[in-house]
Amino acid sequence: EIVMTQSPATLSVSPGERATLSCRASQSVSSNLAWYQQKPGQAPRLLIYGASTRATGIPARFSGSGSGTEFTLTISSLQSEDFAVYYCQQYKNWPPVRAFGQGTKVEIK
Amino acid sequence: EVQLVESGGVVVQPGGSLRLSCAASGFTFDDYTMHWVRQAPGMGLEWVSLITWDGGSTFYADSVKGRFTVSRDNSINSLYLQMNSLRTEDTALYYCAKERGKLIDYWGQGTLVTVSS
């Protein structure tokens, strides 16, 4: 079973600053990695898929990188609406167990 | 517009059973694999189960294997999760979610299951 580990658990950032979130897979998932954003009281929203492709309507300040076991989500200039919890998820084809990371909370510094 | 509406969440005693439903609209339901994902209060997301477009294959997280059963009725665009032998640790908001190209692209708003005596 693939285990996804995110770091840090909490990231304190000032508005306008850059945020860098990490996600590590216990074995290679190639580029089968997605990032989701979840705000309080809301369902998650797909941000990035294929490790680096922004989903429809996602602003360019969000970018993803990495492959294999190491991945990064970067928010170039944090806006007030970006303070949320971010999850990575692998979707390697087999076995189709869609493990999530434990999440990184991005909070206002 | 894709819509996923979950229902069936209630308070149930440990050891009890419950069936969750998800009504789908806005897309061709029987073209897509569907998932259940849960979130315990104040905790992260936990993938629970998936079912392929035709119901021919199902997969489960180890934490629910042998207790939960996922099914679907493509004639009425509905997804189900039968939950048996419920435990307190199954308390969570249960999301129905749609897959596209192996990743989850749409989520419902969730239905709350509370397992408590």
Side-chain angles (χ1 to χ4, degrees):
Chain A
E1 180 180 328
I2 300 174
V3 177
M4 308 302 293
T5 303
Q6 292 184 241
S7 62
T10 303
L11 189 60
S12 298
V13 185
S14 299
E17 290 189 339
R18 172 187 295 257
T20 303
L21 290 66
S22 296
C23 174
R24 173 177 293 178
S26 60
Q27 60 182 269
S28 177
V29 298
S30 186
S31 295
N32 298 306
L33 191 285
W35 289 93
Y36 297 89
Q37 177 194 65
Q38 188 179 34
K39 297 179 181 179
Q42 295 185 18
R45 176 176 73 146
L46 177 65
L47 290 179
I48 300 284
Y49 63 94
S52 61
T53 302
R54 283 188 301 277
T56 302
I58 301 303
R61 63 180 181 273
F62 291 92
S63 63
S65 63
S67 66
T69 62
E70 301 285 341
F71 301 90
T72 300
L73 174 69
T74 302
I75 312 171
S76 59
S77 176
L78 271 159
Q79 306 298 303
S80 57
E81 62 266 29
D82 300 335
F83 292 96
V85 180
Y86 294 83
Y87 296 93
C88 64
Q89 186 202 28
Q90 65 84 15
Y91 53 98
K92 187 178 176 182
N93 194 44
W94 194 265
V97 173
R98 305 288 194 246
F100 290 93
Q102 76 275 31
T104 291
K105 181 179 181 180
V106 177
E107 64 177 24
I108 301 174
K109 187 174 182 180
Chain B
E1 178 193 3
V2 172
Q3 287 199 320
L4 300 167
V5 180
E6 303 92 337
S7 61
V10 292
V11 178
V12 61
Q13 292 190 336
S17 296
L18 196 59
R19 189 174 89 151
L20 305 183
S21 300
C22 172
S25 61
F27 63 102
T28 306
F29 183 69
D30 56 10
D31 277 351
Y32 294 94
T33 290
M34 297 294 293
H35 297 253
W36 288 100
V37 178
R38 69 184 180 182
Q39 187 168 35
M43 303 296 284
L45 301 171
E46 180 186 14
W47 178 83
V48 173
S49 180
L50 75 80
I51 183 167
T52 54
W53 65 275
D54 61 350
S57 294
T58 58
F59 296 90
Y60 301 92
D62 287 345
S63 58
V64 306
K65 200 174 295 182
R67 300 188 299 123
F68 290 11
T69 302
V70 61
S71 62
R72 64 193 295 163
D73 186 341
N74 288 343
S75 68
I76 56 171
N77 294 348
S78 292
L79 176 72
Y80 305 102
L81 187 67
Q82 177 67 42
M83 310 163 66
N84 298 331
S85 303
L86 283 161
R87 306 167 179 168
T88 55
E89 55 264 36
D90 295 318
T91 293
L93 187 65
Y94 283 74
Y95 292 103
C96 162
K98 169 187 168 292
E99 178 178 299
R100 175 181 63 85
K102 299 187 296 180
L103 63 91
I104 292 174
D105 63 345
Y106 283 98
W107 303 67
Q109 288 303 306
T111 186
L112 182 62
V113 173
T114 302
V115 184
S116 173
S117 55

